[in-house]
Amino acid sequence: MQLVINSAGTYITQKDGLFRLKNKDKRFDVSPLKIESIVISNQAMITTQAITTAMENNIDIMFLNGYGDPIGRIWFAKMGSTALIRRKQLEIAEDEKGLELVTDMIGQKIKNQADFLKKLMYSRPGKENLFENPIKIIESTLSSLSMHDGTIEDARNSIMGFEGTAGRAYFQCLSKLMPEKYLFKGRSRQPARDPCNAVLNYCYGILYSRIEKACILAGLDPYVGFLHADNYKSMTYRLKAGSLCWA
C-alpha cells in the first residue's frame, strides 16, 4: 500500500522495526512490509531512522508541497522498483512495445476528437454540414494510424503528421461553432492570439502539472519522450502542442 501523510504536525519515526506515526495524542504503528511508498505533505516530520528503515525495505519517499505537487524523492541507492520502472520505460521507448503505446495513446486522442464532434453534431440538427468533413478527416487519420509497425523511430514523423492533421480539422470545426467574437483561426500558444486559445493554454497548463505529478508518483520519468524528443521541455511541449485531447 501507499502510506500518505497529509495531517500537519505528524511525526514519523521508527520503533522496533516499525514505522511509528504520532500526531498530538494519537499514535499508529505500521510494518514496512505492508508499504510500497510513502508520500509526505503538510508540514510532517520524518526522522533519519525512519528514512533508513524505508531505504532498507526499498520503500521510496515522496515529498509534496502545499499544493500537492512533487518536490523531491528519496529511494534506495541500489536497483529497486523505481529504477526498474525507469529502465523498462527506456527499453520500450525504442522497440515495438513503445510504438504500440504511442499509437494507442494518439489513437485514443483522435477517437475522442471524432466522438466529441459527433456528440456536438447530434445536438445541433440542421448543421450537419459543418461536421461531416472534419469527422471524415479525423476518422481517416485514425485508420491510417493503425497501419504502422516496426519502431517509433520509423513511424515518428508520420504519426505526428496524422496527429496534426486530425488536430487542425478538430479545432477548425470547433471554431465554426463559436459566437463570432470568439472565432479563432487555429492554435496559438506564446502568446495566445484570442480568448479561446488563452483558455486552452490555461487548461493545458493545469493538465500538465497533474500529469507530471501522476508520472512521478508512479515512478516514471516525465522527461523521457516516446514520440517527441528527450529533453527537459519535451513534456511541456507535448501538452502545449495539444498532444492530449482536452475534450
Side-chain angles (χ1 to χ4, degrees):
M1 70 175 179
Q2 184 179 72
L3 180 62
V4 179
I5 313 298
N6 54 18
S7 298
T10 300
Y11 183 71
I12 310 138
T13 186
Q14 180 268 134
K15 180 68 174 179
D16 298 329
L18 302 176
F19 291 112
R20 173 161 291 180
L21 284 64
K22 295 189 291 185
N23 192 307
K24 297 180 181 179
D25 57 343
K26 296 180 181 180
R27 190 179 73 183
F28 174 71
D29 291 341
V30 59
S31 169
L33 299 178
K34 297 181 179 180
I35 299 174
E36 295 179 357
S37 62
I38 300 173
V39 179
I40 300 175
S41 64
N42 272 344
Q43 302 177 7
M45 296 171 285
I46 184 169
T47 66
T48 55
Q49 293 94 330
I51 293 174
T52 300
T53 299
M55 298 303 98
E56 290 174 345
N57 288 274
N58 195 23
I59 300 170
D60 60 315
I61 303 172
M62 171 69 66
F63 295 93
L64 309 182
N65 63 18
Y67 298 99
D69 298 321
I71 57 175
R73 190 178 206 133
I74 302 174
W75 61 75
F76 195 45
K78 297 181 180 179
M79 176 65 76
S81 59
T82 300
L84 180 61
I85 289 171
R86 294 192 177 187
R87 186 177 71 176
K88 293 295 184 181
Q89 182 183 359
L90 290 168
E91 289 175 355
I92 66 172
E94 302 297 332
D95 63 18
E96 294 180 358
K97 183 64 175 178
L99 177 60
E100 180 183 338
L101 288 172
V102 166
T103 303
D104 183 65
M105 288 187 286
I106 299 299
Q108 187 60 56
K109 171 208 169 178
I110 294 175
K111 181 180 182 299
N112 287 346
Q113 291 175 328
D115 290 346
F116 186 61
L117 291 186
K118 290 177 183 178
K119 182 178 179 181
L120 293 179
M121 180 176 66
Y122 296 146
S123 64
R124 289 165 173 78
K127 295 185 178 182
E128 289 82 1
N129 61 309
L130 296 177
F131 296 91
E132 291 172 353
N133 191 54
I135 291 175
K136 182 179 179 180
I137 292 173
I138 293 172
E139 291 183 336
S140 175
T141 62
L142 186 59
S143 298
S144 300
L145 185 67
S146 62
M147 298 172 61
H148 285 292
D149 55 18
T151 65
I152 296 176
E153 190 65 32
D154 300 327
R156 177 177 287 112
N157 290 337
S158 57
I159 290 176
M160 292 174 66
F162 292 139
E163 182 186 16
T165 298
R168 284 190 294 273
Y170 178 71
F171 284 113
Q172 286 171 4
C173 183
L174 290 182
S175 176
K176 295 176 183 178
L177 304 176
M178 297 289 182
E180 185 174 353
K181 66 177 180 178
Y182 294 126
L183 294 179
F184 62 99
K185 295 182 179 180
R187 289 288 285 121
S188 58
R189 298 167 186 87
Q190 296 179 346
R193 294 192 294 265
D194 50 71
C196 283
N197 273 289
V199 170
L200 284 173
N201 293 347
Y202 176 75
C203 291
Y204 279 133
I206 295 174
L207 183 61
Y208 162 76
S209 64
R210 292 188 176 184
I211 292 177
E212 182 183 46
K213 174 183 176 180
C215 287
I216 293 173
L217 290 176
L220 297 170
D221 187 341
Y223 302 110
V224 173
F226 279 23
L227 182 60
H228 295 276
D230 293 340
N231 60 65
Y232 76 100
K233 292 183 179 179
S234 64
M235 184 174 176
T236 305
Y237 170 77
R238 290 198 298 275
L239 288 167
K240 288 185 177 179
S243 292
L244 294 173
C245 180
W246 66 282

